[in-house]
Amino acid sequence: MDHFAVTNLTFAYAEDAPPIFQELTFAPEPGTFNLLTGPSGSGKSTLLKLLAGLYPQYGGVIQSGQVTVNDTEISTLQPFQRAAHVAMLFQNPSRQFAMRTVLEQLQFALANLQLSPPEIDRRIQTVLTDLHLTQFTHRALETLSGGEQQRVALASVLALGSSLILLDEPFANVDAAGRTQLLADLKTLQRTQHKTIILADHDLSGYAGLVDQLYHVDGTQRTLLQESPAALPATTPATPVQGQPLTTGPLAWHDLSLTVGDRPLITAAQFTLPASQLGLLSGDNGAGKSTLFAALTRQRRYAGDIRYQDRPAKQYKLKQWALQVAEVYQNSPDQFIRIQASDELALSAQHSLHPTYWTAERIAQAAARLNLAAVLDHVSYALSGGQQKKLQVLSMLIMGQPVLLLDEPFAGLDQASLQAVLTLLQQTIHDLQLSALVVSHQRQGVVSFMDYELHLADQQLQLIAGEAA
Amino acid sequence: MTQTADTPRGLNAATLTLIMIGIGFPLTFAQSVWLNTIVAGLGLLYLIALRVSWRKVSLILLIALPLAFGSWISFWFFGTVDRWHLAWMYGSRVYAYLLLGMIVTMTVSTQRWLVSLHLHFHLPNAFVFGLLGALNMADRVRHEFRRIQYSALMRGENLRLWNPLLYLRIVLVSLNWSNDLAEAMTSQGFTENAPRTELIADPMPAWQWGLAGGLIVIYCAAAFGLRPW
Amino acid sequence: MQHANSQVAQVNPVRWTIRDVIFLALIGVFFGIIYQLWSYVYYALAATPLKPYANDMTIGVWIMAGPLAGVLLRKVGASVIGELLAAAVEMMLFSSWGAADLISGFIQGIGNELGFAATGYKNWDKLGLLMSTIGATIVTFAWDWFQSGYKAYTPTMNITLLIIRFVSIGFFSGVLVYWIRQLVAKTGLLK
């Protein structure tokens, strides 16, 4: 049984940067299931990467203290030596595979350990059988769902024989069924093989009764606080949207179907996005919400009909379409096309579709309400996650396309920012009569601003709150 | 050639690469219509012997026709001496190059090509698996390129190919993705310059070294000794 | 890129890590897409007697990957390896040319590399890029003297072609690469 320990660790991203952790001491009990929580950007990933030995190899500086496995400093081990003790599953399943198929991926990992070919075959057989993945052996990883990809990643961790399994927001692209299955697999591994599990998640639902220890990353004290797992919520009751009678609007789709490979995501959907109203698009991770946005912004193929003011989408040039249907991207840097925050706003102001509404004064006011005024002369990429989100939303509101799709625009926002963003969003949408549709896994504090809710499940897109016109 | 390790057919990928480069390089300095035709012809015969899809081969040969014609006619127009010979020589050279490439690209998978270069020409593993990892992301790269363009169009701007802001986004996405993938591969035990188990057997019998060497020597002797038309 | 500041890439002047390779190969895949867009322009011109002019006008675009790799990674050999990786990607994903891709990628990379080498690998700024532009212009022109048969053209035409080539390489692989590097530096994401 391996013993991992973080001792008096002070770690920063650069020599001259403020430390992320200060004098941190932490040792997971072998064979336990540990949940690591904290807002996004608080340092959960950083702690996991330190335990995995990826930091400082891939960045940052240990200013004092150490991270050890069985009293050996983990950063002094070679990656192939570390992998036998600790391995990690990453947030974005699609960016953790070097190879094309499940079999090749497992072979790649095991060949790194310099095992003999028969031993490699034996281990692959065992893990694929244990995790019920045998039917996927020769499948291309690209064609698997997010949940399946994470189970393949778990299989390679298991095959490597690591006793500590680290998972960094592993459910970000995984649906509820996939999540339940992955959690059950992890629990089994902990019980039967005494694996130590540390899982980082900002969302606490579904862990009650499952985890042994709960830790909270405290950004202000730059350390870890232990909390009682009894504090975990049993199941979060979903706050319902109080639906309003829907208006009509310019963007509509009929008989819309989307597939990934040969896996259907959405079948025969139909809806008209109401103007001057704010809608919530809900559904599991991986159900196809982002894919729907990609189709509506003509970034991917679709079957069926998408129309703007009764003209088929394909009759518009992409350039014209982009001035009708806009998206606030989930990954903030995808939005930025300037360097400095103020230049992002200036560019939007210059090309705004509502130049008389967005006067310099109104823009300055909005920036102030979002608490952005002080950071406008900063580089956008260097802003905190929450500031980047607010900058994105404001930039797109200033553009003022008739249709605005927002993919997780509230991630990393504190309570006050959330309120400010929603208020600004609602006001702008009313004033400019925009149709806005929001994907947000967070419902608390959000649903009271919503006029209707569309729910995506089992390939069906259904209006579950709000009265169709 | 994006499919994975296939059942190898024909010559070893390293042999083919050696022939491709070993003849491709001196071909630049040779001046012979006949030799170009023979190289292209032998390449075509090899493809036929391996039963490579006839449709694909024809399509590629057809697409290259305007380029060969461009070479041909530019010497007809601008050539100073010996225009007939030069026009045919540079026109046929396009096909000699193309078929030299096709004997590799049409018959060997990416993975086998890289593994073969690793085993026989000591290409470091970081290059083998780095390239494979990046190539396996190709579809996502295409999506990302569209998204970059759309993100600018939404702001009333068109990122044209000479706009540095387009490349800024490309560099940042590549930086971010390469970091994620490299961390994941490291976590899976990948170590630069450490030995790994070689799972793909890729025999390169001595006669294939002989064949490649022989072909290159014969070609050079013919091109620079015999100098046919 | 949520934790942008945690992803500041470090630069090591000699060692090639898996991350460097993936980084340049991904840029190579993006360039593959850009080349496809450019190739329509090239193709339209290259099917006419103007083919040599098409070659020299667009050459700056085809060789950008090399100097870009150089100024981003600042490593000995980065231009050659960057250009070769882009050529390998091109060969495997986008074209059937194989030999021509790899050989010309190598020649072009050498041209740029010689420029940076001439500064003792100390200048990756304006001077380095100017030298790399000159290096690439000379080396690739010498190569085309044989490979594309420029020696058969009149001296006047060759001088014209040389000037066009210098301007093309100077803009795309010099000025544009310089701008890109400036922008990347401003983001603070690459040291």
Side-chain angles (χ1 to χ4, degrees):
Chain A
M1 183 80 7
D2 292 326
H3 284 265
F4 288 83
V6 177
T7 320
N8 295 323
L9 181 79
T10 300
F11 176 83
Y13 289 140
E15 251 351 309
D16 49 355
I20 301 304
F21 293 111
Q22 186 120 43
E23 295 285 309
L24 172 68
T25 295
F26 162 68
E29 185 82 18
T32 56
F33 196 134
N34 305 271
L35 180 61
L36 197 58
T37 75
S40 70
S42 59
K44 300 190 296 290
S45 305
T46 307
L47 179 57
L48 295 186
K49 286 180 183 175
L50 278 161
L51 282 165
L54 292 173
Y55 288 164
Q57 183 185 346
Y58 279 96
V61 189
I62 291 183
Q63 294 177 333
S64 66
Q66 52 187 2
V67 183
T68 54
V69 53
N70 305 330
D71 299 322
T72 306
E73 252 190 272
I74 200 142
S75 57
T76 61
L77 297 176
Q78 293 286 325
F80 68 86
Q81 297 170 312
R82 282 182 227 147
H85 300 289
V86 51
M88 185 154 164
L89 267 72
F90 296 81
Q91 179 170 8
N92 198 323
S94 63
R95 271 182 245 147
Q96 59 185 324
F97 301 121
M99 310 299 281
R100 208 182 65 89
T101 68
V102 173
L103 179 64
E104 288 169 3
Q105 177 58 34
L106 292 169
Q107 287 174 335
F108 164 77
L110 292 171
N112 290 333
L113 297 199
Q114 299 155 43
L115 300 170
S116 70
E119 173 66 6
I120 290 178
D121 282 345
R122 195 190 63 75
R123 288 200 189 187
I124 292 175
Q125 289 299 331
T126 312
V127 292
L128 287 180
T129 313
D130 284 358
L131 290 176
H132 308 288
L133 287 168
T134 325
Q135 75 271 31
F136 294 123
T137 311
H138 296 285
R139 283 277 293 277
L141 287 155
E142 253 186 356
T143 63
L144 302 184
S145 73
E148 289 160 353
Q149 290 185 358
Q150 288 296 33
R151 286 174 56 224
V152 172
L154 183 60
S156 52
V157 169
L158 266 189
L160 289 167
S162 327
S163 61
L164 175 61
I165 303 177
L166 307 170
L167 302 98
D168 186 9
E169 302 268 357
F171 306 120
N173 295 288
V174 176
D175 64 19
R179 177 187 164 116
T180 310
Q181 182 159 20
L182 193 55
L183 279 173
D185 286 342
L186 286 169
K187 195 66 195 170
T188 312
L189 292 175
Q190 181 212 345
R191 287 226 181 94
T192 60
Q193 303 189 26
H194 305 286
K195 301 285 185 192
T196 312
I197 292 156
I198 305 180
L199 192 154
D201 201 337
H202 62 276
D203 177 6
L204 296 185
S205 55
Y207 291 107
L210 208 59
V211 303
D212 304 307
Q213 303 292 344
L214 174 63
Y215 294 93
H216 185 86
V217 181
D218 187 307
T220 46
Q221 292 185 42
R222 294 164 184 164
T223 186
L224 270 190
L225 303 175
Q226 196 163 357
E227 292 175 358
S228 162
L232 286 168
T235 38
T236 21
T239 355
V241 169
Q242 299 296 324
Q244 307 294 316
L246 299 187
T247 60
T248 185
L251 186 75
W253 56 89
H254 307 276
D255 209 16
L256 181 69
S257 298
L258 301 174
T259 52
V260 171
D262 41 7
R263 197 158 48 90
L265 272 182
I266 298 179
T267 309
Q270 178 170 335
F271 194 64
T272 301
L273 276 186
S276 307
Q277 288 186 321
L278 193 52
L280 180 67
L281 173 59
S282 62
D284 280 344
N285 291 337
K289 304 187 297 287
S290 299
T291 315
L292 174 63
F293 280 6
L296 294 177
T297 51
R298 291 176 55 193
Q299 299 289 295
R300 73 186 317 290
R301 282 170 203 277
Y302 57 87
D305 197 19
I306 297 175
R307 284 171 176 263
Y308 187 81
Q309 285 179 334
D310 261 342
R311 270 175 66 199
K314 279 157 193 163
Q315 287 184 14
Y316 293 82
K317 284 184 182 159
L318 195 64
K319 193 177 164 181
Q320 299 170 313
W321 191 257
L323 293 177
Q324 315 298 338
V325 183
E327 180 171 351
V328 170
Y329 292 120
Q330 185 171 4
N331 180 33
S332 304
D334 283 347
Q335 204 93 47
F336 301 142
I337 44 178
R338 288 290 185 269
I339 304 281
Q340 208 170 293
S342 56
D343 291 339
E344 292 291 339
L345 297 184
L347 176 68
S348 285
Q350 187 191 339
H351 294 133
S352 174
L353 300 171
H354 303 275
T356 48
Y357 180 80
W358 286 109
T359 57
E361 197 189 354
R362 192 187 290 271
I363 293 174
Q365 243 171 28
R369 273 163 68 190
L370 296 178
N371 223 348
L372 285 175
V375 296
L376 284 183
D377 59 342
H378 291 201
V379 170
S380 311
Y381 298 98
L383 299 179
S384 75
Q387 289 165 338
Q388 290 188 357
K389 285 284 158 204
K390 292 188 281 188
L391 179 62
Q392 279 181 273
V393 172
L394 182 54
S395 304
M396 293 321 296
L397 284 177
I398 295 173
M399 280 307 299
Q401 272 90 346
V403 177
L404 182 59
L405 310 169
L406 303 101
D407 198 350
E408 297 287 358
F410 312 129
L413 294 186
D414 55 37
Q415 207 51 47
S417 296
L418 177 67
Q419 188 75 19
V421 168
L422 276 162
T423 310
L424 179 71
L425 194 58
Q426 193 175 48
Q427 191 195 336
T428 313
I429 280 161
H430 283 164
D431 291 352
L432 302 178
Q433 290 162 14
L434 314 179
S435 312
L437 186 59
V438 180
V439 167
S440 169
H441 72 269
Q442 182 184 349
R443 297 178 71 96
Q444 212 178 8
V446 171
V447 293
S448 57
F449 287 84
M450 298 292 153
D451 299 304
Y452 63 97
E453 177 174 359
L454 279 175
H455 188 71
L456 181 55
D458 305 322
Q459 302 166 34
Q460 301 301 312
L461 189 62
Q462 275 190 316
L463 184 67
I464 58 169
E467 295 153 37
Chain B
M1 80 183 211
T2 43
Q3 59 285 82
T4 52
D6 46 353
T7 333
R9 297 173 307 161
L11 296 170
N12 185 291
T15 314
L16 290 171
T17 309
L18 199 59
I19 295 173
M20 174 179 88
I21 307 272
I23 294 186
F25 192 81
L27 199 136
T28 294
F29 303 96
Q31 298 283 328
S32 167
V33 179
W34 281 113
L35 284 178
N36 287 344
T37 316
I38 290 170
V39 168
L42 286 176
L44 196 59
L45 279 178
Y46 180 74
L47 293 179
I48 292 170
L50 285 192
R51 302 216 184 95
V52 173
S53 156
W54 183 240
R55 289 177 122 205
K56 270 195 205 163
V57 172
S58 324
L59 189 68
I60 292 171
L61 295 181
L62 205 66
I63 292 174
L65 193 59
L67 295 180
F69 177 73
S71 288
W72 189 87
I73 201 167
S74 79
F75 286 96
W76 186 243
F77 255 75
F78 300 123
T80 44
V81 284
D82 207 2
R83 290 191 303 181
W84 266 112
H85 175 245
L86 289 180
W88 284 108
M89 201 268 287
Y90 288 109
S92 60
R93 181 178 283 186
V94 169
Y95 277 103
Y97 263 125
L98 181 58
L99 278 143
L100 273 177
M102 286 166 77
I103 59 169
V104 181
T105 53
M106 307 278 302
T107 66
V108 187
S109 75
T110 302
Q111 186 175 357
R112 180 161 292 276
W113 185 60
L114 291 170
V115 167
S116 205
L117 294 186
H118 166 67
L119 291 174
H120 308 299
F121 296 135
H122 304 286
L123 180 70
N125 271 325
F127 285 87
V128 175
F129 292 99
L131 259 170
L132 274 180
L135 289 170
N136 284 331
M137 285 188 173
D139 278 343
R140 262 163 275 142
V141 170
R142 274 181 240 263
H143 267 120
E144 189 62 25
F145 189 78
R146 285 189 64 113
R147 169 173 288 206
I148 291 172
Q149 290 191 312
Y150 199 81
S151 71
L153 290 176
M154 287 193 305
R155 309 284 290 286
E157 219 171 57
N158 199 346
L159 289 184
R160 301 206 182 268
L161 297 178
W162 47 86
N163 190 330
L165 289 162
L166 170 68
Y167 298 90
L168 171 68
R169 287 280 297 275
I170 287 173
V171 169
L172 294 184
V173 168
S174 304
L175 197 59
N176 187 23
W177 292 8
S178 62
N179 202 62
D180 285 359
L181 184 57
E183 284 185 354
M185 289 168 77
T186 304
S187 160
Q188 289 150 11
F190 181 82
T191 313
E192 285 113 3
N193 305 317
R196 301 175 77 252
T197 314
E198 303 294 354
L199 282 171
I200 297 182
D202 188 64
M204 171 109 170
W207 68 266
Q208 292 204 12
W209 287 103
L211 175 74
L215 284 174
I216 295 168
V217 170
I218 293 172
Y219 178 83
C220 289
F224 306 112
L226 285 177
R227 298 158 156 261
W229 187 73
Chain C
M1 264 200 268
Q2 279 175 339
H3 315 289
N5 41 358
S6 70
Q7 289 173 348
V8 171
Q10 309 289 322
V11 171
N12 177 318
V14 188
R15 209 168 65 103
W16 282 83
T17 64
I18 184 90
R19 175 168 62 179
D20 297 331
V21 176
I22 301 171
F23 176 53
L24 292 187
L26 279 175
I27 290 184
V29 180
F30 274 110
F31 268 102
I33 297 170
I34 290 171
Y35 293 163
Q36 276 186 320
L37 298 174
W38 271 107
S39 68
Y40 300 125
V41 183
Y42 173 76
Y43 207 81
L45 279 174
T48 72
L50 298 176
K51 185 176 178 187
Y53 294 98
N55 279 345
D56 286 60
M57 270 187 264
T58 52
I59 187 163
V61 183
W62 314 128
I63 73 171
M64 260 179 89
L68 187 60
V71 300
L72 290 175
L73 291 186
R74 303 191 170 185
K75 278 182 203 288
V76 174
S79 294
V80 175
I81 292 175
E83 189 61 44
L84 271 176
L85 282 172
V89 168
E90 180 70 12
M91 161 175 166
M92 287 182 276
L93 283 187
F94 298 98
S95 89
S96 310
W97 289 83
D101 285 334
L102 285 183
I103 296 175
S104 52
F106 181 72
I107 296 295
Q108 294 160 354
I110 287 286
N112 289 305
E113 188 76 34
L114 283 176
F116 291 119
T119 73
Y121 292 108
K122 295 210 170 68
N123 191 312
W124 301 96
D125 212 53
K126 285 178 185 156
L127 178 67
L129 280 166
L130 175 66
M131 299 303 280
S132 125
T133 299
I134 295 171
T137 307
I138 295 172
V139 173
T140 60
F141 196 83
W143 180 250
D144 275 330
W145 186 260
F146 298 102
Q147 200 239 27
S148 309
Y150 283 18
K151 63 184 173 185
Y153 298 137
T154 60
T156 334
M157 180 166 162
N158 265 314
I159 290 169
T160 319
L161 288 173
L162 187 64
I163 293 170
I164 294 176
R165 180 176 298 239
F166 183 73
V167 171
S168 171
I169 296 181
F171 176 71
F172 287 103
S173 300
V175 177
L176 188 53
V177 167
Y178 176 75
W179 283 340
I180 297 167
R181 169 69 213 185
Q182 295 279 89
L183 290 175
V184 174
K186 275 190 199 162
T187 65
L189 294 172
L190 187 79
K191 277 196 175 144

